[in-house]
Every structure is written in C-alpha cells, then in structure tokens.
C-alpha cells in the first residue's frame, strides 16, 4: 500500500514569448495567442506545454508553414523565484534546412499552380469535377487541411483508384518575376 499526498499545484505567473521569426511572432500574437489554452493564472502542467507545442505546430501548418517542426519550440520553466508560481519562456527558434545552411526565417509556402495528371496520360474526369474536388488553389496559402480534404474528396470518386498529392518546391517569387508573369 502506498499513500500519495500531492503538494499544492504550481500556477503560471508569467508567460514570455521569445519568437525569432518576426512573421511568425506577428501571426501568433495577433491570431493564435489570444485563443491559446496556456494562460497566466492557470495551473502549470507539463502536459499543457506539450499540448501547446502541438497546437502551435498544427496551427502554423494551416498558415503556410509546410516544414515547421515542433522541435523549433522550446520551453524554459522557472519556479524558483516565487512559492508555487512558475514563469514560462516559450522560444521559437529560426529555421535551418540542413546543418550546412545558416539560420533563417521559416519559409512560408503558397500554391503557385495545380496540375492534374494520370499515369495513362488521360485524366478520367472532367476538368470541372477535378476542380471542385481539389481544394488547393493557385495563389492561396498552403494549408495541410486542404491537402487532407483533397485526398478525402478524391477517395470518394469512383473513377479514381488512388490519389497522390505531390508538392514541388519552387524558388519564391520576387518582385521582378511577378512583373514578368512568373
């Protein structure tokens, strides 16, 4: 037999956000953080930090951040200053494609073009049907949910046996290439 007597819970006193990428910082502060479950005055929980990390990662995946990885988010918790109060610093670091490349802002992706192809060369559906079932639209921001919904819609079509959404990365548009119609 064991008798466990839990101590008093820690409460979140301060949450400080240290976000190196200015665009992500602005997006999170304006649209995500006002609705975050991690708030000052709430009970501290390691599970809540993990959940916040997963939620931010999923949310950024809907904001064009195709390669954002939850490992970019770290938390530092200081509970030594005040009794039963915890201060949390959430840091989001910069992006590095490989160890040989410098740190940079996280790339944000937009859909440049959408092409429907078939192994036979002949797509078995009308263009309108393909368009209605494809949620990826040229000029729109990349959203993971649009990819998943497109898979779902195509899986319901009887004329399609398998669907593969293949994304290919192209260099970002510059002001010069936009004026040239790139």
């Amino acid at each position: 037999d064991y008798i466990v007597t839990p101590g008093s819970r820690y409460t979140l006193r301060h949450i400080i956000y240290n976000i190196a990428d200015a665009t992500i910082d602005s997006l999170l502060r304006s649209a995500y953080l006002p609705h975050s479950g991690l708030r000052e005055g709430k009970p501290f929980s390691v599970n809540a930090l993990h959940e916040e990390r997963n939620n931010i990662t999923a949310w950024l995946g809907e904001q064009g951040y195709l390669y954002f990885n939850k490992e970019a988010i770290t938390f530092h918790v200081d509970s030594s200053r005040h009794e039963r109060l915890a201060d949390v610093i959430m840091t989001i670091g910069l992006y590095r494609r490989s160890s040989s490349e410098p740190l940079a802002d996280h790339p944000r992706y937009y859909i440049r073009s959408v092409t429907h192809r078939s192994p036979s060369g002949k797509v078995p559906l009308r263009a309108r049907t393909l368009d209605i079932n494809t949620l990826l639209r040229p000029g729109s921001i990349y959203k993971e949910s649009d990819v998943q919904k497109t898979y779902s819609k195509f899986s319901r079509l009887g004329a399609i046996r398998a669907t593969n959404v293949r994304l290919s990365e192209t260099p970002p548009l510059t002001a010069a290439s936009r004026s040239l119609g790139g």
Side-chain angles (χ1 to χ4, degrees), residues 60-79:
L60 287 172
E62 293 296 301
Q63 307 306 312
Y65 292 94
L66 173 63
Y67 297 120
F68 188 87
N69 187 308
K70 69 181 182 178
E71 303 307 317
I73 303 172
T74 59
F75 292 98
H76 174 80
V77 180
D78 182 358
S79 61

Side-chain angles (χ1 to χ4, degrees), residues 17 26 29 36 38 66-67 72 74 86 93-94 98 102 104 118 123 128-129 141 150-151 156 158 166 175:
Y17 299 96
S26 177
R29 288 181 193 277
S36 169
L38 197 63
L66 173 63
Y67 297 120
T74 59
L94 292 173
S98 69
S118 170
V123 180
R128 173 112 172 102
T129 302
I141 198 158
T150 297
Y151 273 123
R156 289 188 219 128
R166 203 170 19 155

Side-chain angles (χ1 to χ4, degrees), residues 130 175 179:
L130 294 169
S179 67

